[in-house]
Amino acid sequence: MIFLFYLLSGVALLSALMVVFSRSPINSVIHLIICFLAIAGHYILLNAQFLAVVHIIVYTGAIMVLFLFVIMLLNLNKENEPHKKLYTKLAAIISGGMLLLVLTGAVKSVALIPFNEKFDSQIGLVGNFGKILFNEFMLPFEASSVLFLSAIIGAMILGKKEKITNNE
Amino acid sequence: MQDFKFNIYDLSSFTHWVDVSLYSYCTPFWAMMWEMIIIGVAMLLFYAVIGLFLVYAERKVCAFMQNRIGPNRVGPYGFIQTVADLVKLLMKELVIIRKSDKFLFYLAPFIVIIVNFMTMAAIPFAKGIHAIDFNIGVLYIMAISSMGVIGVLIAGWSSNNKFSMIGAMRSGAQIVSYELSVGFSLITMCVLAGSMQLSTIVEGQSECWYIFQGHIPAIIAFVIFLIAGTAETNRGPFDLAEAESELTAGYHTEYSGISFAFFYLAEYINMFIIASIAATVFWGGWMPFHISGLAGFNNIMDFIPPFIWYIGKTFVIIWIMMWFKWTFPRLRIDQLLTLEWKYLLPINLVNIILMALIVLMGWHF
């Protein structure tokens, strides 16, 4: 089991690095798909099977397919990276470094739990997941669904054809 | 009477015996490895046999629909025609396309095939013949089968051909939208079953199949599943991705020889998978046809082995899907998207609420 953890971590890290370093956008997307699959594997190791499958449906099945779709439609396969200005690079480095700082601070305070082979097989099942979601986290769940609804409506308004006004 | 019902063709004792004996001979790691190898080889054989048979069946059904004879020269009734086709495809040259992304070009058929195999792992073929019994089996099948489109998109893009590209684009738009209907119609049945585990779903139909238990919403869900499932396999009236009259062959225009055969095989196995999910969730999978109260009739039905029941139901649904393909003309892309987003999806959402109401009020059988 611990071997599987190291294997999945290695795959996830390597493919995440390849997302950044590969020249062609299509290759980046494919490496991102591999990265997401490795993370889904981690969820299964934690016995969160429902979360793993939802992760695959949402990210690999829907979002990544749309990414591939858009990149292919725009035909970004020419390997020409626009040369960024120096202050853009500097800003990117600073903001990235600050994110790293926050993440390190957050991860440092987390108590690591030892890896145990015998876990409670009832954690992470659909029934328990639904009960927790609709009891303890009812408000955030509903608030995020309203957020999604507003995003959908916004997309529809943006995508709607403007009415042609014939005033002449 | 009740325990006699399952024992006669119960293969789980056999698989359990194999499991125990493997673990007694080897270390746990190697026992697991051997089990994986046995299941993998069995799946591979099943895959090849089903694929070859379905190609033959499609040609015969097509011929029947069009008032022709169909393949009848190779073997009795042309039965080994597809084997001859396979040998021909194996000997053909693999054409390498200049200015194409070669790695992705050869990777694409394998993605489609791997996705097929991963889906087949969760399907219960008979009692005890079930590779992995997830507690979220239905959701797992939906998740994995939605990844097949990645293979199609990569194939279309890496061929460096406009026809392939358009085919892949159409396939992407089609599968992303029809996935919703497939998912929602299966979720409707999960509401009735109260579980997403495929073995529990099959056991729950021992008295009466879910399509009869859930009456109106179950029948609506079944029809929607058949339509959306046919669309998700890129078949029938929904074969816009490979519309041969407009796009040569769509996303696999540039593929030749065995890599074309992989795509061709994958299409048929996809159809088999969709049909077997429909058979499992709506018609009870390997569960024989039972009418509660008629013990004599039920016992006669139990004498037919579960695997025969499963294969029989699956092939009836496959026949319906072939019937679609050779009867209806192809839809336009706007008609296709209108059908999904303006008709199937709203009907489906109302249907889920109806099913939830029926389950809460106890109006099901």
Side-chain angles (χ1 to χ4, degrees):
Chain A
M1 288 292 262
I2 203 88
F3 159 74
L4 277 178
F5 171 78
Y6 282 119
L7 185 74
L8 286 171
S9 307
V11 170
L13 285 176
L14 210 68
S15 53
L17 284 175
M18 286 301 288
V19 173
V20 184
F21 288 126
S22 58
R23 309 289 286 182
S24 142
I26 294 282
N27 280 343
S28 290
V29 171
I30 287 160
H31 282 118
L32 201 54
I33 290 170
I34 296 168
C35 181
F36 282 146
L37 286 178
I39 292 170
H42 275 299
Y43 284 133
I44 291 174
L45 277 189
L46 293 169
N47 208 30
Q49 300 176 2
F50 179 72
L51 206 57
V53 168
V54 167
H55 188 265
I56 290 177
I57 288 181
V58 173
Y59 287 99
T60 349
I63 293 183
M64 280 301 111
V65 169
L66 288 179
F67 265 40
L68 268 180
F69 198 80
V70 170
I71 287 173
M72 287 173 181
L73 205 65
L74 297 178
N75 209 7
L76 289 174
N77 52 348
K78 295 174 205 75
E79 295 171 359
N80 50 347
E81 272 187 43
H83 194 73
K84 298 272 183 356
K85 289 200 178 75
L86 186 67
Y87 68 87
T88 326
K89 283 180 183 170
L90 210 66
I93 288 168
I94 290 171
S95 52
M98 280 164 79
L99 181 67
L100 182 71
L101 205 69
V102 171
L103 280 180
T104 345
V107 168
K108 236 182 121 181
S109 62
V110 170
L112 286 176
I113 44 165
F115 187 84
N116 54 343
E117 303 245 335
K118 290 275 170 214
F119 35 56
D120 181 10
S121 64
Q122 295 305 306
I123 293 173
L125 300 190
V126 191
N128 303 331
F129 193 74
K131 273 174 196 152
I132 287 175
L133 211 58
F134 284 98
N135 286 329
E136 281 181 47
F137 300 103
M138 183 76 186
L139 190 67
F141 179 71
E142 293 296 333
S144 61
S145 68
V146 171
L147 193 70
F148 278 121
L149 188 67
S150 64
I152 291 169
I153 293 170
M156 279 180 72
I157 287 171
L158 285 178
K160 217 168 137 185
K161 269 184 212 156
E162 281 181 30
K163 276 191 188 126
I164 303 156
T165 47
N166 288 330
N167 288 335
E168 287 99 86
Chain B
M1 216 40 116
Q2 281 298 108
D3 36 323
F4 168 73
K5 194 157 71 178
F6 295 124
N7 282 342
I8 189 162
Y9 296 116
D10 192 352
L11 288 165
S12 56
S13 55
F14 171 71
T15 43
H16 183 71
W17 172 74
V18 171
D19 183 57
V20 168
S21 52
L22 269 176
Y23 272 92
S24 64
Y25 283 125
C26 324
T27 55
F29 177 77
W30 283 109
M32 200 168 76
M33 280 292 158
W34 276 113
E35 278 179 2
M36 282 181 184
I37 289 167
I38 290 168
I39 291 168
V41 170
M43 284 278 179
L44 203 64
L45 281 175
F46 186 69
Y47 190 98
V49 169
I50 285 291
L52 286 179
F53 179 72
L54 279 179
V55 174
Y56 169 76
E58 166 101 305
R59 295 177 70 175
K60 274 292 185 192
V61 169
C62 164
F64 173 69
M65 298 277 173
Q66 297 172 343
N67 216 351
R68 293 187 283 115
I69 296 171
N72 65 343
R73 293 302 170 94
V74 190
Y77 301 100
F79 202 75
I80 48 176
Q81 175 70 49
T82 43
V83 180
D85 286 346
L86 183 72
V87 172
K88 185 194 80 173
L89 283 170
L90 273 172
M91 289 194 296
K92 275 194 165 184
E93 186 192 356
L94 287 175
V95 179
I96 296 163
I97 299 145
R98 212 186 296 160
K99 281 192 176 177
S100 68
D101 194 328
K102 289 190 184 55
F103 177 69
L104 291 181
F105 185 74
Y106 289 116
L107 184 72
F110 289 101
I111 293 178
V112 178
I113 295 273
I114 288 168
V115 165
N116 272 347
F117 265 107
M118 284 172 78
T119 323
M120 271 172 71
I123 293 174
F125 293 107
K127 191 167 175 65
I129 307 290
H130 192 173
I132 309 170
D133 191 15
F134 287 110
N135 56 32
I136 39 154
V138 174
L139 208 59
Y140 169 82
I141 287 176
M142 275 155 55
I144 298 299
S145 61
S146 70
M147 280 167 57
V149 66
I150 292 173
V152 172
L153 278 173
I154 290 175
W157 184 80
S158 62
S159 303
N160 197 19
N161 178 326
K162 288 198 171 62
F163 288 140
S164 307
M165 190 67 196
I166 296 170
M169 288 284 131
R170 285 180 177 184
S171 172
Q174 181 179 332
I175 291 179
V176 166
S177 36
Y178 276 85
E179 224 171 64
L180 284 168
S181 279
V182 169
F184 278 134
S185 54
L186 286 178
I187 282 171
T188 316
M189 299 316 285
C190 289
V191 171
L192 179 64
S195 168
M196 285 186 175
Q197 194 165 9
L198 282 166
S199 63
T200 323
I201 287 176
V202 174
E203 297 285 348
Q205 304 182 67
S206 61
E207 291 297 315
C208 184
W209 297 348
Y210 279 147
I211 193 162
F212 302 126
Q213 277 188 35
H215 49 91
I216 300 164
I219 290 168
I220 295 172
F222 179 66
V223 172
I224 290 175
F225 183 82
L226 265 192
I227 297 172
T230 315
E232 212 180 354
T233 50
N234 280 331
R235 266 185 67 82
F238 308 103
D239 59 345
L240 288 136
E242 44 180 282
E244 58 266 32
S245 49
E246 318 161 17
L247 298 179
T248 324
Y251 61 87
H252 54 61
T253 307
E254 298 288 357
Y255 284 88
S256 64
I258 197 68
S259 50
F260 165 72
F262 279 156
F263 275 117
Y264 201 62
L265 202 62
E267 183 191 322
Y268 285 96
I269 301 295
N270 263 329
M271 185 168 73
F272 179 78
I273 287 166
I274 289 288
S276 58
I277 295 165
T280 307
V281 175
F282 295 93
W283 292 6
W286 48 259
M287 192 61 77
F289 182 67
H290 286 150
I291 301 171
S292 52
L294 295 178
F297 175 77
N298 291 350
N299 276 335
I300 292 168
M301 286 295 156
D302 285 338
F303 275 106
I304 302 170
F307 189 69
I308 301 293
W309 274 107
Y310 164 77
I311 282 287
K313 289 170 188 175
T314 309
F315 274 92
V316 167
I317 293 172
I318 286 174
W319 194 79
I320 295 173
M321 287 166 82
M322 286 177 176
W323 191 7
F324 279 172
K325 174 159 183 171
W326 299 109
T327 318
F328 293 119
R330 185 182 301 129
L331 273 75
R332 267 198 332 260
I333 187 87
D334 60 319
Q335 291 171 334
L336 181 94
L337 295 177
T338 310
L339 175 70
E340 162 64 19
W341 293 101
K342 292 193 178 157
Y343 298 98
L344 292 187
L345 194 64
I347 293 173
N348 230 330
L349 289 172
V350 173
N351 198 26
I352 290 181
I353 297 169
L354 186 65
M355 179 60 99
L357 189 73
I358 280 176
V359 170
L360 279 179
M361 304 298 279
W363 288 339
H364 57 84
F365 293 115

